[in-house]
Amino acid sequence: MQELKAKLDAGEVARQLAVAEALAIVEKERDLLSNELEQARRDKQAAAELAETKLLNELQRATAVKDAEVQDLKSKLDAADVARQLAVAEALGEVEKERDTLANELEQVKRDKQASYELAEAKLANELHKAAATKDVEIQGLKAQLEAAQIERKLAITEAVNVIEKERDALKTGLDRSKLEKQLAEKSLKDKYETQIKDRDDAIERLRDMKARLSTKMVGETLEQHCETEFNRIRATAFPRAYFEKDNDVRTGSKGDYIFRDSDEAGTEIVSIMFEMKNENDHTATKNKNEDFFKELDKDRIEKGCEYAILVSLLEPDSELYNSGIVDVSHRYPKMYVVRPQFFIPIITLLRNAAINSLQYKSELALVKAQNIDVTNFEDQLEDFKTAFGKNYDLASRRFQTAIDEIDKSIDHLQKTKDALLGADRNLRLANNKAQDVTIKRLTKGNPTMAEKFSELKKNGGISDGREHGAPS
Protein backbone atom coordinates (compact mmCIF):
# COMPACT_ATOMS: atom_id res chain seq x y z
CA MET A 1 0.00 0.00 0.00
CA GLN A 2 2.82 2.37 0.84
CA GLU A 3 4.50 1.57 -2.45
CA LEU A 4 1.26 2.09 -4.34
CA LYS A 5 0.63 5.28 -2.45
CA ALA A 6 4.14 6.48 -3.25
CA LYS A 7 3.64 5.64 -6.91
CA LEU A 8 0.29 7.37 -6.87
CA ASP A 9 1.83 10.47 -5.29
CA ALA A 10 4.69 10.40 -7.81
CA GLY A 11 2.19 10.03 -10.63
CA GLU A 12 0.18 12.91 -9.23
CA VAL A 13 3.29 15.07 -9.05
CA ALA A 14 4.30 14.07 -12.58
CA ARG A 15 0.77 14.74 -13.78
CA GLN A 16 0.74 18.15 -12.20
CA LEU A 17 4.16 18.97 -13.67
CA ALA A 18 3.06 17.77 -17.12
CA VAL A 19 -0.12 19.80 -16.93
CA ALA A 20 1.81 22.87 -15.70
CA GLU A 21 4.38 22.55 -18.49
CA ALA A 22 1.65 21.99 -21.08
CA LEU A 23 -0.20 25.03 -19.75
CA ALA A 24 2.98 27.13 -19.78
CA ILE A 25 3.68 26.18 -23.39
CA VAL A 26 0.09 26.85 -24.39
CA GLU A 27 0.03 30.17 -22.50
CA LYS A 28 3.34 31.16 -24.08
CA GLU A 29 1.93 30.32 -27.51
CA ARG A 30 -1.25 32.23 -26.61
CA ASP A 31 0.80 35.27 -25.53
CA LEU A 32 2.86 35.13 -28.73
CA LEU A 33 -0.30 34.97 -30.82
CA SER A 34 -1.83 37.79 -28.79
CA ASN A 35 1.24 39.99 -29.41
CA GLU A 36 1.16 39.23 -33.13
CA LEU A 37 -2.57 39.96 -33.22
CA GLU A 38 -1.94 43.22 -31.32
CA GLN A 39 0.68 44.23 -33.95
CA ALA A 40 -1.75 43.38 -36.74
CA ARG A 41 -4.49 45.37 -34.98
CA ARG A 42 -2.34 48.54 -34.99
CA ASP A 43 -1.59 48.26 -38.74
CA LYS A 44 -4.96 47.29 -40.19
CA GLN A 45 -8.11 49.37 -40.26
CA ALA A 46 -11.60 48.97 -38.75
CA ALA A 47 -12.21 45.48 -40.14
CA ALA A 48 -8.94 44.15 -38.71
CA GLU A 49 -9.77 45.65 -35.28
CA LEU A 50 -13.11 43.79 -35.26
CA ALA A 51 -11.37 40.52 -36.15
CA GLU A 52 -8.81 41.00 -33.37
CA THR A 53 -11.58 41.63 -30.82
CA LYS A 54 -13.23 38.40 -31.88
CA LEU A 55 -9.91 36.55 -31.60
CA LEU A 56 -9.31 37.86 -28.07
CA ASN A 57 -12.82 36.75 -27.03
CA GLU A 58 -12.12 33.31 -28.43
CA LEU A 59 -8.82 33.13 -26.54
CA GLN A 60 -10.56 34.07 -23.30
CA ARG A 61 -13.25 31.45 -23.89
CA ALA A 62 -10.59 28.85 -24.70
CA THR A 63 -8.71 29.75 -21.52
CA ALA A 64 -11.84 29.41 -19.44
CA VAL A 65 -12.66 26.05 -21.03
CA LYS A 66 -9.09 24.93 -20.52
CA ASP A 67 -9.14 25.89 -16.85
CA ALA A 68 -12.38 23.95 -16.32
CA GLU A 69 -10.96 20.94 -18.10
CA VAL A 70 -7.79 21.10 -16.01
CA GLN A 71 -9.88 21.04 -12.84
CA ASP A 72 -11.83 18.10 -14.20
CA LEU A 73 -8.60 16.29 -15.07
CA LYS A 74 -7.29 16.83 -11.55
CA SER A 75 -10.37 15.12 -10.11
CA LYS A 76 -10.24 12.21 -12.62
CA LEU A 77 -6.51 11.48 -12.29
CA ASP A 78 -7.15 9.96 -8.86
CA ALA A 79 -9.15 7.11 -10.53
CA ALA A 80 -6.58 5.62 -12.87
CA ASP A 81 -3.55 6.27 -15.01
CA VAL A 82 -5.45 5.35 -18.21
CA ALA A 83 -8.14 7.88 -17.37
CA ARG A 84 -5.37 10.37 -16.71
CA GLN A 85 -3.80 9.67 -20.10
CA LEU A 86 -7.15 9.96 -21.85
CA ALA A 87 -7.91 13.16 -19.99
CA VAL A 88 -4.52 14.55 -20.96
CA ALA A 89 -5.06 13.47 -24.59
CA GLU A 90 -8.55 14.97 -24.54
CA ALA A 91 -7.19 18.21 -23.02
CA LEU A 92 -4.41 18.38 -25.58
CA GLY A 93 -6.93 17.70 -28.34
CA GLU A 94 -9.11 20.56 -27.20
CA VAL A 95 -6.11 22.85 -26.84
CA GLU A 96 -4.89 21.85 -30.28
CA LYS A 97 -8.35 22.53 -31.67
CA GLU A 98 -8.31 25.97 -30.06
CA ARG A 99 -4.79 26.54 -31.38
CA ASP A 100 -5.91 25.47 -34.87
CA THR A 101 -8.86 27.84 -34.59
CA LEU A 102 -6.54 30.64 -33.55
CA ALA A 103 -4.13 29.77 -36.37
CA ASN A 104 -7.00 29.79 -38.89
CA GLU A 105 -8.19 33.13 -37.55
CA LEU A 106 -4.63 34.45 -37.76
CA GLU A 107 -4.44 33.25 -41.37
CA GLN A 108 -7.74 35.00 -42.09
CA VAL A 109 -6.38 38.16 -40.47
CA LYS A 110 -3.25 37.85 -42.58
CA ARG A 111 -5.31 37.46 -45.74
CA ASP A 112 -7.42 40.48 -44.77
CA LYS A 113 -4.26 42.43 -44.05
CA GLN A 114 -2.80 41.32 -47.39
CA ALA A 115 -5.97 42.43 -49.15
CA SER A 116 -5.91 45.76 -47.32
CA TYR A 117 -2.24 46.18 -48.16
CA GLU A 118 -2.84 45.36 -51.83
CA LEU A 119 -5.77 47.80 -51.92
CA ALA A 120 -3.67 50.51 -50.23
CA GLU A 121 -0.78 49.79 -52.59
CA ALA A 122 -3.11 50.00 -55.60
CA LYS A 123 -4.55 53.29 -54.29
CA LEU A 124 -1.04 54.55 -53.61
CA ALA A 125 0.11 53.63 -57.11
CA ASN A 126 -2.99 55.27 -58.58
CA GLU A 127 -2.43 58.43 -56.51
CA LEU A 128 1.25 58.49 -57.48
CA HIS A 129 0.34 58.08 -61.12
CA LYS A 130 -2.27 60.84 -60.89
CA ALA A 131 0.13 63.13 -59.01
CA ALA A 132 2.90 62.48 -61.53
CA ALA A 133 0.52 63.09 -64.44
CA THR A 134 -0.83 66.28 -62.83
CA LYS A 135 2.68 67.45 -62.08
CA ASP A 136 3.78 66.80 -65.66
CA VAL A 137 0.77 68.67 -67.02
CA GLU A 138 1.37 71.62 -64.65
CA ILE A 139 5.07 71.69 -65.52
CA GLN A 140 4.31 71.64 -69.25
CA GLY A 141 1.68 74.38 -68.81
CA LEU A 142 4.01 76.55 -66.74
CA LYS A 143 6.84 76.03 -69.22
CA ALA A 144 4.54 77.03 -72.08
CA GLN A 145 3.35 80.11 -70.17
CA LEU A 146 6.91 81.01 -69.29
CA GLU A 147 8.08 80.67 -72.89
CA ALA A 148 5.09 82.68 -74.14
CA ALA A 149 5.73 85.40 -71.54
CA GLN A 150 9.41 85.57 -72.47
CA ILE A 151 8.56 85.82 -76.18
CA GLU A 152 5.91 88.46 -75.49
CA ARG A 153 8.32 90.38 -73.30
CA LYS A 154 11.04 90.31 -75.97
CA LEU A 155 8.57 91.44 -78.63
CA ALA A 156 7.28 94.25 -76.41
CA ILE A 157 10.80 95.41 -75.58
CA THR A 158 11.81 95.25 -79.27
CA GLU A 159 8.75 97.22 -80.37
CA ALA A 160 9.22 99.78 -77.59
CA VAL A 161 12.90 100.19 -78.45
CA ASN A 162 12.09 100.60 -82.15
CA VAL A 163 9.45 103.23 -81.39
CA ILE A 164 11.82 105.07 -79.07
CA GLU A 165 14.64 104.96 -81.62
CA LYS A 166 12.32 106.33 -84.31
CA GLU A 167 11.09 109.09 -82.03
CA ARG A 168 14.65 109.83 -80.94
CA ASP A 169 15.81 110.13 -84.55
CA ALA A 170 12.83 112.34 -85.40
CA LEU A 171 13.46 114.54 -82.37
CA LYS A 172 17.15 114.75 -83.16
CA THR A 173 16.38 115.81 -86.73
CA GLY A 174 13.83 118.35 -85.55
CA LEU A 175 16.24 119.66 -82.91
CA ASP A 176 19.01 120.09 -85.48
CA ARG A 177 16.61 121.89 -87.77
CA SER A 178 15.43 124.09 -84.89
CA LYS A 179 19.02 124.92 -83.95
CA LEU A 180 19.78 125.94 -87.54
CA GLU A 181 16.62 128.02 -87.77
CA LYS A 182 17.39 129.58 -84.40
CA GLN A 183 20.89 130.53 -85.50
CA LEU A 184 19.53 132.11 -88.68
CA ALA A 185 16.84 133.92 -86.72
CA GLU A 186 19.36 135.14 -84.12
CA LYS A 187 21.56 136.47 -86.86
CA SER A 188 18.62 138.18 -88.53
CA LEU A 189 17.44 139.53 -85.17
CA LYS A 190 20.92 140.78 -84.35
CA ASP A 191 21.14 142.65 -87.62
CA LYS A 192 17.68 144.07 -87.05
CA TYR A 193 18.52 145.12 -83.48
CA GLU A 194 21.73 146.77 -84.62
CA THR A 195 19.69 148.72 -87.15
CA GLN A 196 17.14 149.59 -84.48
CA ILE A 197 19.85 150.65 -82.05
CA LYS A 198 21.35 152.87 -84.68
CA ASP A 199 17.93 154.36 -85.35
CA ARG A 200 17.46 154.76 -81.59
CA ASP A 201 20.75 156.62 -81.27
CA ASP A 202 19.64 158.97 -84.02
CA ALA A 203 16.33 159.40 -82.29
CA ILE A 204 18.14 160.12 -79.02
CA GLU A 205 20.12 162.84 -80.65
CA ARG A 206 16.97 164.32 -82.09
CA LEU A 207 15.20 164.02 -78.76
CA ARG A 208 18.07 165.71 -76.96
CA ASP A 209 17.54 168.65 -79.17
CA MET A 210 13.88 168.60 -78.23
CA LYS A 211 14.61 168.22 -74.52
CA ALA A 212 14.42 171.88 -73.71
CA ARG A 213 11.11 172.28 -75.51
CA LEU A 214 9.68 169.06 -73.94
CA SER A 215 10.76 170.11 -70.50
CA THR A 216 9.14 173.44 -71.03
CA LYS A 217 5.98 171.72 -72.20
CA MET A 218 5.80 169.53 -69.08
CA VAL A 219 5.89 172.52 -66.81
CA GLY A 220 2.55 172.82 -65.04
CA GLU A 221 1.55 169.15 -65.51
CA THR A 222 2.67 166.01 -63.75
CA LEU A 223 4.92 163.35 -65.28
CA GLU A 224 2.22 160.68 -65.03
CA GLN A 225 -0.25 162.78 -66.99
CA HIS A 226 2.38 163.44 -69.66
CA CYS A 227 3.21 159.74 -70.10
CA GLU A 228 -0.45 158.75 -70.21
CA THR A 229 -1.16 161.43 -72.77
CA GLU A 230 1.76 160.38 -74.94
CA PHE A 231 0.68 156.74 -74.86
CA ASN A 232 -2.97 157.44 -75.61
CA ARG A 233 -1.94 159.57 -78.54
CA ILE A 234 -0.49 156.52 -80.36
CA ARG A 235 -2.53 153.74 -78.70
CA ALA A 236 -4.94 153.21 -81.60
CA THR A 237 -2.21 152.88 -84.24
CA ALA A 238 0.78 151.38 -82.42
CA PHE A 239 -0.83 149.43 -79.57
CA PRO A 240 -4.43 148.52 -80.52
CA ARG A 241 -4.62 145.48 -78.17
CA ALA A 242 -2.53 146.93 -75.34
CA TYR A 243 -3.57 147.49 -71.72
CA PHE A 244 -2.16 150.62 -70.07
CA GLU A 245 -3.83 151.65 -66.84
CA LYS A 246 -2.93 152.87 -63.38
CA ASP A 247 -2.08 150.25 -60.78
CA ASN A 248 -4.83 150.52 -58.16
CA ASP A 249 -4.25 147.10 -56.50
CA VAL A 250 -2.94 147.75 -52.98
CA ARG A 251 -3.63 144.25 -51.55
CA THR A 252 0.08 143.61 -51.10
CA GLY A 253 0.67 146.90 -49.31
CA SER A 254 2.26 148.80 -52.22
CA LYS A 255 1.59 149.61 -55.86
CA GLY A 256 3.26 151.04 -58.92
CA ASP A 257 2.02 153.85 -61.14
CA TYR A 258 1.09 152.11 -64.41
CA ILE A 259 0.94 148.57 -65.79
CA PHE A 260 1.40 147.90 -69.50
CA ARG A 261 0.36 144.57 -71.08
CA ASP A 262 0.23 143.71 -74.77
CA SER A 263 -1.04 140.49 -76.42
CA ASP A 264 -1.27 139.01 -79.92
CA GLU A 265 -4.38 138.18 -81.94
CA ALA A 266 -4.77 134.83 -80.17
CA GLY A 267 -4.83 136.54 -76.79
CA THR A 268 -1.34 135.33 -75.78
CA GLU A 269 0.51 137.89 -73.69
CA ILE A 270 3.57 139.27 -75.47
CA VAL A 271 5.11 141.59 -72.90
CA SER A 272 4.20 143.16 -69.53
CA ILE A 273 5.82 146.22 -67.90
CA MET A 274 5.49 147.82 -64.47
CA PHE A 275 6.03 151.62 -64.69
CA GLU A 276 7.01 153.99 -61.93
CA MET A 277 7.08 157.78 -62.66
CA LYS A 278 9.21 160.12 -60.55
CA ASN A 279 9.23 163.88 -61.18
CA GLU A 280 11.84 166.24 -59.78
CA ASN A 281 9.16 168.79 -59.18
CA ASP A 282 7.40 166.38 -56.84
CA HIS A 283 10.39 166.22 -54.50
CA THR A 284 11.66 169.72 -54.04
CA ALA A 285 12.26 169.34 -50.31
CA THR A 286 14.71 166.45 -50.55
CA LYS A 287 16.67 165.46 -53.62
CA ASN A 288 16.10 161.74 -54.12
CA LYS A 289 18.10 159.44 -56.35
CA ASN A 290 16.81 156.96 -58.89
CA GLU A 291 18.29 153.97 -57.10
CA ASP A 292 16.20 154.79 -54.03
CA PHE A 293 13.16 153.41 -55.89
CA PHE A 294 14.69 150.29 -57.49
CA LYS A 295 13.89 147.87 -54.67
CA GLU A 296 10.25 148.92 -54.34
CA LEU A 297 9.77 148.85 -58.12
CA ASP A 298 11.21 145.33 -58.39
CA LYS A 299 8.92 144.21 -55.57
CA ASP A 300 5.87 145.64 -57.37
CA ARG A 301 6.93 143.97 -60.62
CA ILE A 302 7.13 140.54 -58.99
CA GLU A 303 3.89 140.90 -57.03
CA LYS A 304 1.90 142.04 -60.09
CA GLY A 305 3.43 139.38 -62.37
CA CYS A 306 5.13 141.73 -64.84
CA GLU A 307 8.14 140.78 -66.97
CA TYR A 308 9.92 144.18 -67.04
CA ALA A 309 10.21 147.14 -64.67
CA ILE A 310 10.84 150.69 -65.98
CA LEU A 311 11.46 153.82 -63.95
CA VAL A 312 10.49 156.98 -65.91
CA SER A 313 12.38 159.63 -63.97
CA LEU A 314 13.29 163.31 -63.98
CA LEU A 315 15.43 162.81 -60.89
CA GLU A 316 19.16 163.60 -60.99
CA PRO A 317 18.80 165.98 -63.96
CA ASP A 318 22.55 166.60 -64.10
CA SER A 319 23.53 162.91 -64.29
CA GLU A 320 25.25 162.13 -67.58
CA LEU A 321 24.40 158.44 -67.11
CA TYR A 322 20.63 158.92 -67.07
CA ASN A 323 20.70 161.78 -69.57
CA SER A 324 22.48 159.58 -72.15
CA GLY A 325 19.33 157.58 -72.95
CA ILE A 326 17.95 154.21 -71.88
CA VAL A 327 19.90 152.89 -68.86
CA ASP A 328 19.94 149.14 -68.14
CA VAL A 329 20.19 148.44 -64.40
CA SER A 330 19.70 144.64 -64.68
CA HIS A 331 22.96 144.16 -62.78
CA ARG A 332 21.08 145.45 -59.73
CA TYR A 333 17.58 144.09 -60.37
CA PRO A 334 16.56 141.78 -63.24
CA LYS A 335 14.89 143.28 -66.33
CA MET A 336 14.86 146.85 -64.99
CA TYR A 337 15.51 150.03 -67.00
CA VAL A 338 15.64 153.78 -66.20
CA VAL A 339 14.57 156.26 -68.91
CA ARG A 340 13.80 159.91 -69.28
CA PRO A 341 10.24 160.86 -70.32
CA GLN A 342 11.26 161.35 -73.94
CA PHE A 343 12.22 157.64 -74.15
CA PHE A 344 8.92 156.41 -72.66
CA ILE A 345 7.36 155.39 -76.00
CA PRO A 346 10.64 154.10 -77.57
CA ILE A 347 11.34 151.73 -74.63
CA ILE A 348 7.84 150.28 -74.89
CA THR A 349 8.26 149.81 -78.63
CA LEU A 350 11.68 148.17 -78.28
CA LEU A 351 10.55 145.72 -75.59
CA ARG A 352 7.31 144.88 -77.41
CA ASN A 353 9.10 144.24 -80.74
CA ALA A 354 11.79 142.14 -79.07
CA ALA A 355 9.11 140.08 -77.33
CA ILE A 356 7.24 139.56 -80.62
CA ASN A 357 10.41 138.35 -82.35
CA SER A 358 11.27 135.99 -79.50
CA LEU A 359 7.70 134.75 -79.07
CA GLN A 360 8.09 132.23 -81.91
CA TYR A 361 11.33 130.88 -80.44
CA LYS A 362 9.75 130.67 -76.99
CA SER A 363 6.88 128.65 -78.45
CA GLU A 364 9.27 126.33 -80.30
CA LEU A 365 11.43 125.97 -77.19
CA ALA A 366 8.36 125.14 -75.11
CA LEU A 367 7.31 122.58 -77.75
CA VAL A 368 10.76 120.96 -77.70
CA LYS A 369 10.71 120.88 -73.90
CA ALA A 370 7.25 119.30 -73.98
CA GLN A 371 8.49 116.69 -76.47
CA ASN A 372 11.52 115.96 -74.31
CA ILE A 373 9.20 115.59 -71.34
CA ASP A 374 7.03 113.17 -73.38
CA VAL A 375 10.11 111.10 -74.30
CA THR A 376 11.24 111.09 -70.66
CA ASN A 377 7.77 110.06 -69.51
CA PHE A 378 7.69 107.30 -72.12
CA GLU A 379 11.07 106.01 -70.97
CA ASP A 380 9.88 106.12 -67.34
CA GLN A 381 6.74 104.23 -68.29
CA LEU A 382 8.83 101.66 -70.16
CA GLU A 383 11.08 101.22 -67.13
CA ASP A 384 8.01 100.89 -64.86
CA PHE A 385 6.62 98.25 -67.22
CA LYS A 386 9.90 96.35 -67.24
CA THR A 387 10.12 96.53 -63.44
CA ALA A 388 6.51 95.36 -62.97
CA PHE A 389 6.98 92.56 -65.51
CA GLY A 390 10.17 91.43 -63.77
CA LYS A 391 8.38 91.39 -60.39
CA ASN A 392 5.51 89.33 -61.82
CA TYR A 393 7.99 86.95 -63.45
CA ASP A 394 9.88 86.49 -60.17
CA LEU A 395 6.62 85.91 -58.28
CA ALA A 396 5.46 83.33 -60.84
CA SER A 397 8.86 81.59 -60.68
CA ARG A 398 8.73 81.41 -56.87
CA ARG A 399 5.19 80.03 -56.92
CA PHE A 400 6.18 77.52 -59.59
CA GLN A 401 9.09 76.35 -57.45
CA THR A 402 6.82 76.21 -54.37
CA ALA A 403 4.36 73.99 -56.27
CA ILE A 404 7.19 71.67 -57.32
CA ASP A 405 8.44 71.49 -53.70
CA GLU A 406 4.95 70.65 -52.45
CA ILE A 407 4.61 67.89 -55.05
CA ASP A 408 8.00 66.48 -54.01
CA LYS A 409 6.89 66.56 -50.35
CA SER A 410 3.70 64.67 -51.27
CA ILE A 411 5.73 62.07 -53.13
CA ASP A 412 8.07 61.67 -50.13
CA HIS A 413 5.08 61.31 -47.79
CA LEU A 414 3.48 58.64 -50.01
CA GLN A 415 6.82 56.83 -50.25
CA LYS A 416 7.08 56.80 -46.43
CA THR A 417 3.51 55.41 -46.23
CA LYS A 418 4.43 52.71 -48.74
CA ASP A 419 7.57 51.81 -46.72
CA ALA A 420 5.46 51.59 -43.53
CA LEU A 421 2.97 49.24 -45.23
CA LEU A 422 5.82 47.11 -46.58
CA GLY A 423 7.27 46.93 -43.04
CA ALA A 424 3.91 45.79 -41.66
CA ASP A 425 3.70 43.14 -44.36
CA ARG A 426 7.15 41.89 -43.45
CA ASN A 427 6.18 41.64 -39.77
CA LEU A 428 3.01 39.68 -40.65
CA ARG A 429 5.01 37.37 -42.88
CA LEU A 430 7.51 36.72 -40.08
CA ALA A 431 4.65 36.06 -37.62
CA ASN A 432 3.05 33.63 -40.08
CA ASN A 433 6.36 31.85 -40.59
CA LYS A 434 6.74 31.49 -36.82
CA ALA A 435 3.20 30.11 -36.52
CA GLN A 436 3.80 27.68 -39.39
CA ASP A 437 6.97 26.40 -37.70
CA VAL A 438 5.11 25.40 -34.47
CA THR A 439 5.06 21.54 -34.06
CA ILE A 440 4.64 19.07 -31.19
CA LYS A 441 8.34 18.25 -31.45
CA ARG A 442 9.26 21.89 -31.01
CA LEU A 443 6.81 22.22 -28.10
CA THR A 444 8.15 19.09 -26.30
CA LYS A 445 11.82 19.85 -27.02
CA GLY A 446 13.72 19.93 -23.73
CA ASN A 447 10.69 18.46 -21.87
CA PRO A 448 11.20 14.67 -21.51
CA THR A 449 7.99 14.18 -19.51
CA MET A 450 5.75 15.63 -22.24
CA ALA A 451 7.80 13.85 -24.89
CA GLU A 452 7.18 10.56 -23.08
CA LYS A 453 3.48 11.26 -22.74
CA PHE A 454 3.10 12.11 -26.39
CA SER A 455 5.15 9.01 -27.29
CA GLU A 456 2.80 6.81 -25.27
CA LEU A 457 -0.20 8.42 -26.88
CA LYS A 458 1.31 7.80 -30.28
CA LYS A 459 1.89 4.18 -29.46
CA ASN A 460 -1.70 3.80 -28.27
CA GLY A 461 -2.98 5.45 -31.45
CA GLY A 462 -4.15 8.60 -29.69
CA ILE A 463 -1.94 10.90 -31.75
CA SER A 464 0.34 10.55 -34.77
CA ASP A 465 3.49 12.65 -35.40
CA GLY A 466 1.84 15.87 -34.17
CA ARG A 467 -0.16 16.51 -37.35
CA GLU A 468 -3.61 15.22 -36.29
CA HIS A 469 -6.46 17.50 -35.25
CA GLY A 470 -5.44 19.96 -37.95
CA ALA A 471 -2.12 20.89 -36.32
CA PRO A 472 0.04 23.08 -38.57
CA SER A 473 3.15 21.48 -39.94
Side-chain angles (χ1 to χ4, degrees):
M1 291 293 292
Q2 291 294 329
E3 182 178 359
L4 291 174
K5 187 177 181 179
K7 289 181 178 180
L8 183 60
D9 292 338
E12 181 66 21
V13 172
R15 180 185 63 79
Q16 291 178 355
L17 290 175
V19 172
E21 289 177 354
L23 288 175
I25 293 172
V26 171
E27 289 175 352
K28 183 176 180 181
E29 182 180 359
R30 181 195 64 187
D31 294 339
L32 180 60
L33 293 175
S34 296
N35 292 332
E36 291 175 350
L37 288 173
E38 183 66 17
Q39 180 65 28
R41 184 184 63 80
R42 287 194 298 269
D43 294 335
K44 68 185 179 179
Q45 300 176 353
E49 292 176 358
L50 182 61
E52 182 180 353
T53 303
K54 181 179 178 181
L55 179 62
L56 290 175
N57 292 332
E58 292 294 327
L59 285 173
Q60 291 176 357
R61 184 178 62 80
T63 303
V65 172
K66 180 192 65 176
D67 293 336
E69 290 175 350
V70 169
Q71 294 296 330
D72 185 67
L73 286 173
K74 287 183 180 179
S75 62
K76 290 181 179 181
L77 281 174
D78 295 332
D81 184 62
V82 175
R84 178 183 59 78
Q85 292 178 355
L86 293 174
V88 171
E90 184 179 358
L92 288 176
E94 292 294 332
V95 171
E96 288 175 352
K97 288 180 181 180
E98 294 296 331
R99 184 189 63 190
D100 294 339
T101 301
L102 292 175
N104 292 331
E105 291 178 356
L106 180 60
E107 182 66 21
Q108 182 65 32
V109 170
K110 186 179 77 66
R111 286 194 297 270
D112 293 340
K113 180 63 179 179
Q114 181 66 22
S116 299
Y117 166 73
E118 291 176 354
L119 179 61
E121 187 175 15
K123 289 182 178 179
L124 177 61
N126 189 20
E127 292 295 331
L128 288 174
H129 181 70
K130 289 182 179 179
T134 304
K135 179 178 177 183
D136 293 337
V137 172
E138 291 179 354
I139 290 173
Q140 293 297 327
L142 291 174
K143 285 182 178 179
Q145 293 178 2
L146 182 60
E147 292 176 356
Q150 289 178 349
I151 294 173
E152 183 178 357
R153 180 183 178 186
K154 291 180 179 179
L155 290 176
I157 292 174
T158 303
E159 292 178 357
V161 170
N162 291 333
V163 172
I164 291 174
E165 289 178 350
K166 290 180 180 178
E167 292 181 355
R168 181 196 62 191
D169 296 337
L171 290 174
K172 185 177 180 182
T173 304
L175 185 60
D176 293 338
R177 184 173 62 254
S178 298
K179 287 181 179 180
L180 181 59
E181 292 177 354
K182 182 179 179 182
Q183 291 175 358
L184 294 175
E186 287 178 352
K187 184 177 180 181
S188 176
L189 185 62
K190 183 178 180 182
D191 296 338
K192 184 177 180 180
Y193 279 168
E194 287 177 353
T195 303
Q196 290 179 353
I197 290 172
K198 184 178 180 181
D199 295 339
R200 184 199 64 181
D201 293 338
D202 295 339
I204 289 172
E205 291 297 329
R206 290 193 304 269
L207 291 172
R208 280 179 180 175
D209 295 336
M210 296 174 61
K211 179 179 179 182
R213 290 186 290 111
L214 289 174
S215 298
T216 302
K217 184 177 179 181
M218 284 187 294
V219 175
E221 64 183 37
T222 63
L223 181 57
E224 294 180 3
Q225 292 174 347
H226 168 73
C227 292
E228 185 174 359
T229 301
E230 290 295 320
F231 182 82
N232 289 331
R233 184 180 299 168
I234 64 172
R235 178 195 290 266
T237 57
F239 308 103
R241 291 180 295 273
Y243 168 88
F244 184 76
E245 300 292 340
K246 287 186 67 66
D247 181 16
N248 297 319
D249 187 2
V250 294
R251 289 177 297 177
T252 58
S254 63
K255 66 183 184 65
D257 288 334
Y258 283 90
I259 294 177
F260 171 84
R261 299 182 187 274
D262 197 7
S263 58
D264 59 9
E265 296 178 355
T268 304
E269 185 177 283
I270 300 174
V271 66
S272 58
I273 305 172
M274 170 63 71
F275 283 101
E276 182 75 19
M277 284 75 171
K278 295 299 177 184
N279 193 343
E280 182 68 28
N281 295 330
D282 295 335
H283 304 279
T284 56
T286 58
K287 300 297 182 180
N288 293 323
K289 295 183 178 181
N290 290 319
E291 61 183 15
D292 296 338
F293 303 96
F294 290 168
K295 182 177 181 181
E296 189 69 18
L297 178 58
D298 184 67
K299 177 183 177 184
D300 293 335
R301 178 188 71 83
I302 296 174
E303 291 177 349
K304 302 305 168 57
C306 295
E307 184 177 1
Y308 295 95
I310 296 177
L311 177 63
V312 182
S313 172
L314 288 174
L315 303 180
E316 301 182 55
D318 298 331
S319 174
E320 294 182 359
L321 174 63
Y322 297 114
N323 291 332
S324 62
I326 299 173
V327 180
D328 185 358
V329 292
S330 299
H331 62 283
R332 296 286 303 279
Y333 296 94
K335 295 187 176 182
M336 183 177 290
Y337 300 90
V338 180
V339 298
R340 294 302 186 187
Q342 59 268 28
F343 299 109
F344 171 68
I345 297 300
I347 188 65
I348 294 176
T349 304
L350 288 173
L351 294 179
R352 198 273 301 268
N353 292 337
I356 290 175
N357 293 328
S358 63
L359 182 63
Q360 180 181 359
Y361 303 110
K362 289 181 179 178
S363 301
E364 292 180 356
L365 181 60
L367 179 60
V368 172
K369 288 183 178 179
Q371 291 175 348
N372 290 335
I373 291 173
D374 292 339
V375 172
T376 303
N377 292 335
F378 180 79
E379 291 178 349
D380 294 338
Q381 292 175 359
L382 179 60
E383 290 298 327
D384 293 340
F385 170 76
K386 291 166 64 178
T387 302
F389 186 87
K391 290 181 180 179
N392 292 334
Y393 174 76
D394 293 338
L395 181 60
S397 298
R398 288 196 297 270
R399 291 184 177 179
F400 177 76
Q401 187 61 39
T402 302
I404 292 177
D405 295 338
E406 291 298 327
I407 292 173
D408 292 337
K409 290 180 182 179
S410 299
I411 293 175
D412 293 338
H413 180 70
L414 293 174
Q415 184 64 38
K416 290 179 181 179
T417 304
K418 179 181 178 181
D419 295 338
L421 292 174
L422 291 175
D425 179 69
R426 286 193 296 271
N427 290 329
L428 288 174
R429 187 171 61 253
L430 292 174
N432 181 63
N433 293 335
K434 291 179 180 178
Q436 296 295 333
D437 291 339
V438 174
T439 61
I440 293 176
K441 291 182 179 180
R442 288 178 181 269
L443 292 176
T444 59
K445 184 179 179 180
N447 191 342
T449 302
M450 291 301 299
E452 182 181 357
K453 298 299 181 182
F454 280 111
S455 178
E456 291 177 358
L457 288 173
K458 185 176 179 182
K459 291 178 180 180
N460 294 328
I463 189 171
S464 62
D465 67 15
R467 288 182 173 84
E468 292 185 358
H469 307 289
S473 60

